[in-house]
Amino acid sequence: MPYFDAASSAPLHPVARQALQASLDEGWADPSRLYREGRRARLLLDAAREAAAEAVGCRPDELVFTPSGTRAVHLGVSGALAGRRRVGRHVVVSSVEHSSVLHAAGDTATEVPVDRAGRVDPEAYAAALREDTALACLQSANHEVGTEQPVDRVAEVCRAAGVPLLVDAAQSLAWGPVGGDWSLLAASAHKWGGPAGAGLLVVRKGVRFAPQEPADERESGRSAGFENLPAIVAAAASLRAVRAEAAAEAVRLRALVDRIRARVPELVPDVEVVGDPVHRLPHLVTFSCLYVDGETLLHELDREGFSVSSGSSCTSSTLTPSHVLRAMGVLSEGNVRVSLPLGTTGEDVDRFLEVLPTVVSAVRERLGAPTATASTGQGASLVVDALGKRCPIPVIELAKVIGDVPLGGTVTVLSDDEAARLDIPAWCVMRDQEYVGEEPAERGTAYVVRRLV
Amino acid sequence: MPYFDAASSAPLHPVARQALQASLDEGWADPSRLYREGRRARLLLDAAREAAAEAVGCRPDELVFTPSGTRAVHLGVSGALAGRRRVGRHVVVSSVEHSSVLHAAGDTATEVPVDRAGRVDPEAYAAALREDTALACLQSANHEVGTEQPVDRVAEVCRAAGVPLLVDAAQSLAWGPVGGDWSLLAASAHKWGGPAGAGLLVVRKGVRFAPQEPADERESGRSAGFENLPAIVAAAASLRAVRAEAAAEAVRLRALVDRIRARVPELVPDVEVVGDPVHRLPHLVTFSCLYVDGETLLHELDREGFSVSSGSSCTSSTLTPSHVLRAMGVLSEGNVRVSLPLGTTGEDVDRFLEVLPTVVSAVRERLGAPTATASTGQGASLVVDALGKRCPIPVIELAKVIGDVPLGGTVTVLSDDEAARLDIPAWCVMRDQEYVGEEPAERGTAYVVRRLV
C-alpha cells in the first residue's frame, strides 16, 4: 500500500524508532534534576543537541528543541519581532509560505509574489524591505509544489538591509543543510522521518531575540515545558540517518519523480504539472487535472492503495483552494501532490502511473466532463449559470459550451465557488483561450472568457 | 535504585509503553488527511480524547491535547483572559501555584496566601476576587508538599462571583477526577506515567475562551502544531491504567508515606515535616533538615541510590528557596521531597529510613553544625557575621551562639543569603525562640533573634 505523502508526515525511520525506544528507558526523567536519572537524561539531551546542530550547521547553543515545527516557527517569529521592537513590526514573507508562518506573521505582513513556478525573486524581497521591517521569512522549499527558493540570495539582500531572515526549512532539512547567511531557522522532525513531538529552532548568535511567551528555565528560556526527550533523541538520530542516505536517495527519487513529471501529461489529457522543473525537491511532484474533483480523486486513489494529498478547494475545510496554488496562478482543480518517502520503489510509481489515467477518466466521466470540444457555432455570447456548484463543475460547464460560441465570442460563467476565481483563468491558459476578467454579479461573480481557438 | 521523584516525572507506565509502541505503527500519519493512514490516525486520536475525557469527567469536545502540561497552562490562562477581556485582566492565584501558572498569570496577579500547611482559605479567594477579575487559578494539590487544595469550595466562590476557575491538576489527576464546578483544567501526562510530549487542556462549554496564539485547524484551534499522536494515545491509555490501580495504590503508598512522616522526625533530630497532614496526596512527603545544605544532601542520597528533589535555595539556579516553602513560611534548608512512584516497595522505604539519619549527620558534621546548645552565658547581645555565606551556614552560626547570650538576650545575624530570610524565622519556630525581625544592614540584612529558652 504505497504511501506517497511524505511531505505531510514521513513514516518513522527505523533509526528513529530504535532511538525512541532506547530513550524511553534512559530518557524519561527530568534533565534539570541532579540525580542519576536526571543526569542521564541531560547527557542524552546534550548529545541530541550536538547532533542536530551539526546537521543544521550551527552551534549547539544556537539550537533549541520545540514540541513541533509549528511551535518553532511561532516562537521564532514572535521572539525575533520582539527583539527588534524598536525598528518596527513589519514582516516580509513569500506568498507561498506554510500557514504557520503566515499566521505568525499576521495580516499586516507584505507578501512577496512568486512566479508561475512558485519561486520568489530576490529583487522583489529587496524591494519589499522597509525602514520598519523587523523580520523577513522564506521557506527553503515549498511544501505543496516542491519549488526550492533562492534562500542564499534572499539572505544576502536581507543582510544588506540589516533585516534578519527566518528560514522555514521543514521540507528540505532531510536533504541537506540550508546554505546562505540566514539568521533563524525552523524545522520539524516528523517531516524527515523523526517522530511527532519534536521541532527545532535555531537563532544565530548576535540575532536580537526576546522570547515572548511565559518562559521557564528549559531550552534557554526559548521553549517552555518539560522536554520530550525520547522524541528529541529520536529526531536527532534520524536526521543523522536520513542525511547519510540523502545523496543516494535524492538521485533515485529524482528519477522516479522525473518519470511522473514526464509520463502523467502523456497518460492523462488536460493535466498541468506545477512547480519549478529545475529548482525543486527531489521527492515531490504536484499536478492538477482539469474537470476533476480533488476529493473524489483522492478517495479513488486511496481505494487503489495510494495515499496522496491535494490543494484543491474541496479537500480543505474552508472550501478555498490552496493559497500556494492561488499565488502561483495555476489550476487548483483535481490537484494531486505526490511526495515519495525514502525507499519508494519504481514498481510502486509504475503502478501509480498505471492506475491514475483510469481513475481520472472515471471521475471525469461521472462529472460529465467534455472529452472533445465540438463547435456547434451558436450565438456570439453565452451565459452559464454555475451558481451553487462546486469545483470542478464551473470549469466543466465552461468547457462544454466554449465550442458553442464562434471565435471571438464570449462565455460568461456565473459562479459563487472560490476555486473558480483561480481555475477559470488557469483553464484559459491551458486551453489558449482569453480570460477577459471578472465582475461582481447579482449572486456570485461573473467570469468572462473569449473563445480564441 | 529507588527513584523517589515521581512528582517531577513518573517512570513510564508499562501500558503507556505498549500504547506508544503500537501507535508508532498505526498513528504516525496526519489525522487531518483523508487517506487510510490519516483516517486510522484520526480514529486513534478520537478514541484517546474520549478516554481522557472520561477520566477527567468532561465531554470529549471540551478537551484538547497540548504538547505539555506547561503549554496547557499557558494556553488555558491566555485564552481565558482574552475571552474575558472586557471584564478586565486581573488574575487571582494561590501563592503556591506551579511556576507555569505564576508566569502565565503575570506580575499583576493577586496571590492568595496559604497557611503553614500550604493550604488556601476559600474565604481569602472570595476576598481577592474583584470587579475586574478575569480568571482565578488554583492547583488541585501542591507539587512540592502534596497539600490538597479545597478546589470545590473555591470553585463555588468563583462561580458565585462569575469568575472562571482554572485548575492545575498536574499532581492529582492520576489519583482521580477533580471535583467541583471548575471551568478550565490543565494536566500533564508524564506526571501520571504517560510519556513526555502530551498535556491536556479542558475548557468547559460556556466558558468564554479566545485562543491568543497563531492557530491552525488542529485541536479545535486551541493548540497549534502537528498532533503527537503516539504520545497522546499513550497518555490516554496510561491514565486509564493508573486510575484502575489508583484506589489500591493510594492506600498502600499512603501507609508508606505515613511511615516516613512518623519515622523521619524520630530518626533525625531537628527536622520539620511540612505540608498538610490530612489533606494531602497519598504518595508525597516533604521535610526540611536544619543545618543541612540541600544540594549536598541530594548528592549524598543519590550516592546511596535514592533520587529525590529539593526546594532548598542551593538546588535552584537562582539561589532562592522554593516560592512554595517561602509562602508557607517553613524551613527551606536541607529540604527533601519524597514522591513515590506506583509500585514502590516497603523495603525501599525502609532502606531510605535507614540511610537518611547517617547521611544527614554526616552532612551536619562536615558543616560544623551544633549538636547541643550548651549555654556559656556571655553578654546580653551578640552579632554574627555570616555575610557571603550560603544556606545553611547562617542558621548554623546562629544556633552555635544562641546559648552564649542569656535568656532575653539577642543574637543578630548579618546575612546576604536569600534563604536566611525564611530559615531564621523558621528556626525560631522550631526552637521556641523569638524572631524579633529584620532590618537592612550596611551589607545584607540583620536578622534579630531573642533567646527565650
Side-chain angles (χ1 to χ4, degrees):
Chain A
M1 304 291 272
Y3 174 81
F4 282 177
D5 197 20
S8 278
S9 194
L12 200 64
H13 193 283
V15 165
R17 179 183 301 258
Q18 279 167 23
L20 198 142
Q21 298 205 353
S23 54
L24 288 178
D25 295 319
E26 297 287 311
W28 52 270
D30 185 339
S32 67
R33 296 294 175 186
L34 302 173
Y35 42 70
R36 64 195 172 286
E37 294 90 347
R39 295 193 304 269
R40 208 154 56 195
R42 168 63 53 188
L43 288 177
L44 288 174
L45 181 57
D46 290 346
R49 197 183 314 280
E50 275 173 36
E54 195 190 330
V56 169
C58 69
R59 293 167 40 161
D61 60 354
E62 294 174 330
L63 184 149
V64 299
F65 293 104
T66 63
S68 66
T70 293
R71 286 290 294 155
V73 165
H74 291 177
L75 292 166
V77 169
S78 63
L81 281 180
R84 283 171 50 87
R85 195 182 283 120
R86 285 187 202 164
V87 171
R89 74 100 54 237
H90 179 242
V91 185
V92 174
V93 296
S94 86
S95 56
V96 295
E97 293 301 309
H98 187 266
S99 56
S100 61
V101 173
L102 296 178
H103 289 154
D107 294 339
T108 58
T110 297
E111 291 195 4
V112 175
V114 295
D115 62 19
R116 212 176 147 82
R119 200 165 152 90
V120 299
D121 176 359
E123 294 307 312
Y125 255 82
L129 299 174
R130 305 191 317 215
E131 279 291 303
D132 64 337
T133 302
L135 178 67
C137 305
L138 180 62
Q139 61 199 192
S140 52
N142 185 268
H143 50 297
E144 288 192 35
V145 300
T147 299
E148 289 179 334
Q149 303 292 357
V151 169
D152 47 353
R153 288 169 55 212
V154 171
E156 266 173 42
V157 308
C158 288
R159 184 67 60 176
V163 173
L165 177 69
L166 182 148
V167 177
D168 169 13
Q171 289 299 332
S172 80
L173 205 61
W175 302 107
V178 177
D181 194 10
W182 45 265
S183 297
L184 302 102
L185 181 144
S188 172
H190 76 103
K191 306 282 190 187
W192 70 62
L200 57 86
L201 170 64
V202 178
V203 182
R204 292 280 197 200
K205 285 286 152 200
V207 172
R208 280 173 202 272
F209 194 82
Q212 279 316 282
E213 297 184 14
D216 56 21
E217 76 287 1
R218 300 181 191 276
E219 294 300 291
S220 312
R222 291 183 176 168
S223 180
F226 189 72
E227 293 94 343
N228 186 350
L229 202 52
I232 287 171
V233 169
S238 53
L239 181 54
R240 194 193 282 252
V242 298
R243 281 292 183 78
E245 326 167 43
E249 273 298 272
V251 170
R252 215 176 60 76
L253 295 182
R254 190 176 288 273
L256 295 179
V257 162
D258 282 343
R259 198 182 302 173
I260 298 174
R261 292 181 70 91
R263 293 292 288 149
V264 164
E266 291 169 6
L267 296 167
V268 182
D270 298 328
V271 158
E272 184 177 16
V273 177
V274 301
D276 197 295
V278 179
H279 304 106
R280 59 181 168 82
L281 292 170
H283 68 304
L284 196 157
V285 53
T286 301
F287 53 86
S288 297
C289 309
L290 259 184
Y291 316 140
V292 168
D293 151 19
E295 186 171 0
T296 309
L297 185 55
L298 253 54
H299 279 309
E300 294 302 319
L301 286 172
D302 179 47
R303 281 174 55 171
E304 296 288 340
F306 293 95
S307 301
V308 298
S309 77
S310 169
S312 291
S313 55
C314 45
T315 63
S316 92
S317 55
T318 55
L319 289 178
T320 52
S322 131
H323 71 277
V324 172
L325 302 177
R326 220 159 45 203
M328 294 166 65
V330 296
L331 187 73
S332 79
E333 67 187 36
N335 181 258
V336 171
R337 177 184 68 183
V338 172
S339 50
L340 307 177
L342 299 186
T344 299
T345 64
E347 290 69 45
D348 281 343
V349 169
D350 286 342
R351 209 167 70 70
F352 177 75
L353 290 171
E354 198 182 305
V355 161
L356 182 73
T358 322
V359 166
V360 171
S361 61
V363 176
R364 282 176 175 164
E365 203 170 317
R366 227 177 303 156
L367 290 169
T371 46
T373 34
S375 168
T376 54
Q378 293 198 355
S381 70
L382 270 176
V383 175
V384 174
D385 180 355
L387 290 166
K389 291 174 181 160
R390 297 260 157 250
C391 157
I393 302 298
V395 175
I396 289 179
E397 297 293 323
L398 165 63
K400 272 184 182 164
V401 303
I402 191 74
D404 296 345
V405 298
L407 295 177
T410 60
V411 176
T412 300
V413 183
L414 298 175
S415 171
D416 49 10
D417 179 32
E418 248 326 289
R421 176 159 291 124
L422 179 55
D423 290 340
I424 290 175
W427 179 89
C428 292
V429 172
M430 291 173 75
R431 277 288 174 269
D432 295 321
Q433 308 291 4
E434 182 190 345
Y435 178 64
V436 180
E438 61 161 85
E439 52 195 42
E442 202 172 333
R443 269 183 61 208
T445 304
Y447 300 93
V448 182
V449 174
R450 175 165 293 119
R451 182 179 171 196
L452 298 185
V453 291
Chain B
M1 303 292 272
Y3 174 80
F4 282 177
D5 197 21
S8 279
S9 193
L12 199 63
H13 194 282
V15 165
R17 180 184 300 260
Q18 278 168 24
L20 197 141
Q21 299 206 351
S23 55
L24 288 179
D25 295 321
E26 297 286 313
W28 53 270
D30 185 340
S32 67
R33 296 294 174 186
L34 303 172
Y35 42 70
R36 65 197 172 285
E37 294 88 350
R39 295 194 303 269
R40 209 155 56 196
R42 168 64 53 189
L43 289 176
L44 288 174
L45 181 57
D46 291 346
R49 196 183 316 279
E50 276 174 35
E54 196 190 328
V56 169
C58 70
R59 294 167 38 161
D61 60 354
E62 293 174 329
L63 184 149
V64 298
F65 293 104
T66 63
S68 66
T70 293
R71 286 290 294 154
V73 165
H74 291 177
L75 292 165
V77 169
S78 64
L81 282 180
R84 285 173 48 84
R85 196 182 284 120
R86 285 187 202 163
V87 171
R89 74 103 50 240
H90 179 240
V91 186
V92 175
V93 295
S94 86
S95 55
V96 295
E97 293 301 310
H98 187 266
S99 56
S100 62
V101 173
L102 297 178
H103 288 154
D107 295 339
T108 58
T110 297
E111 291 195 3
V112 175
V114 294
D115 62 20
R116 212 177 147 81
R119 201 165 151 90
V120 299
D121 176 359
E123 295 307 313
Y125 254 82
L129 299 175
R130 306 192 315 216
E131 280 291 304
D132 64 338
T133 302
L135 179 67
C137 305
L138 181 61
Q139 62 199 187
S140 52
N142 185 268
H143 49 295
E144 287 191 35
V145 300
T147 299
E148 288 179 335
Q149 303 293 355
V151 169
D152 49 351
R153 288 169 56 214
V154 171
E156 265 173 43
V157 307
C158 289
R159 184 67 61 176
V163 173
L165 177 68
L166 181 149
V167 178
D168 169 13
Q171 290 298 331
S172 80
L173 205 61
W175 303 107
V178 177
D181 194 9
W182 45 265
S183 297
L184 301 102
L185 180 143
S188 173
H190 76 104
K191 306 283 190 188
W192 69 63
L200 57 85
L201 170 65
V202 178
V203 182
R204 291 280 199 202
K205 285 285 152 200
V207 172
R208 280 174 202 271
F209 193 81
Q212 278 317 281
E213 297 185 15
D216 57 22
E217 76 287 3
R218 301 181 190 276
E219 294 301 291
S220 312
R222 289 181 179 170
S223 180
F226 189 73
E227 293 94 344
N228 186 350
L229 203 51
I232 287 171
V233 169
S238 53
L239 181 54
R240 194 192 281 251
V242 297
R243 280 293 183 76
E245 329 166 41
E249 273 298 273
V251 171
R252 214 177 59 77
L253 295 182
R254 191 175 288 274
L256 295 181
V257 163
D258 282 344
R259 197 182 302 173
I260 297 173
R261 291 182 69 91
R263 293 291 287 147
V264 164
E266 292 168 8
L267 295 167
V268 182
D270 298 327
V271 158
E272 183 176 17
V273 177
V274 300
D276 198 295
V278 180
H279 304 106
R280 60 181 168 84
L281 292 171
H283 68 303
L284 195 156
V285 53
T286 301
F287 53 85
S288 297
C289 309
L290 259 184
Y291 316 138
V292 168
D293 151 20
E295 186 172 359
T296 309
L297 184 54
L298 254 54
H299 280 306
E300 294 302 320
L301 286 170
D302 178 48
R303 281 174 55 170
E304 297 287 341
F306 293 95
S307 300
V308 299
S309 78
S310 167
S312 291
S313 56
C314 45
T315 64
S316 92
S317 54
T318 55
L319 289 178
T320 52
S322 132
H323 70 277
V324 171
L325 302 178
R326 218 156 48 201
M328 294 165 66
V330 296
L331 188 73
S332 78
E333 65 187 36
N335 181 258
V336 171
R337 176 183 71 182
V338 172
S339 52
L340 306 178
L342 299 186
T344 299
T345 64
E347 290 69 43
D348 281 343
V349 168
D350 287 341
R351 209 167 69 72
F352 177 76
L353 291 171
E354 200 182 303
V355 161
L356 183 72
T358 322
V359 167
V360 171
S361 59
V363 176
R364 282 175 174 163
E365 202 169 314
R366 226 175 306 155
L367 291 169
T371 45
T373 34
S375 170
T376 53
Q378 293 201 354
S381 70
L382 268 177
V383 175
V384 174
D385 180 355
L387 290 167
K389 291 174 182 162
R390 299 261 156 248
C391 156
I393 301 299
V395 175
I396 289 179
E397 297 294 322
L398 164 62
K400 273 185 182 166
V401 301
I402 190 75
D404 295 346
V405 297
L407 294 177
T410 60
V411 176
T412 299
V413 183
L414 297 175
S415 172
D416 48 11
D417 180 31
E418 249 325 289
R421 175 159 291 123
L422 179 55
D423 290 339
I424 290 174
W427 178 88
C428 291
V429 172
M430 291 173 75
R431 279 285 175 272
D432 294 321
Q433 308 292 4
E434 181 190 345
Y435 178 64
V436 180
E438 62 163 83
E439 53 195 40
E442 200 171 333
R443 268 183 64 208
T445 304
Y447 300 93
V448 182
V449 175
R450 176 165 292 116
R451 181 177 172 196
L452 299 185
V453 292

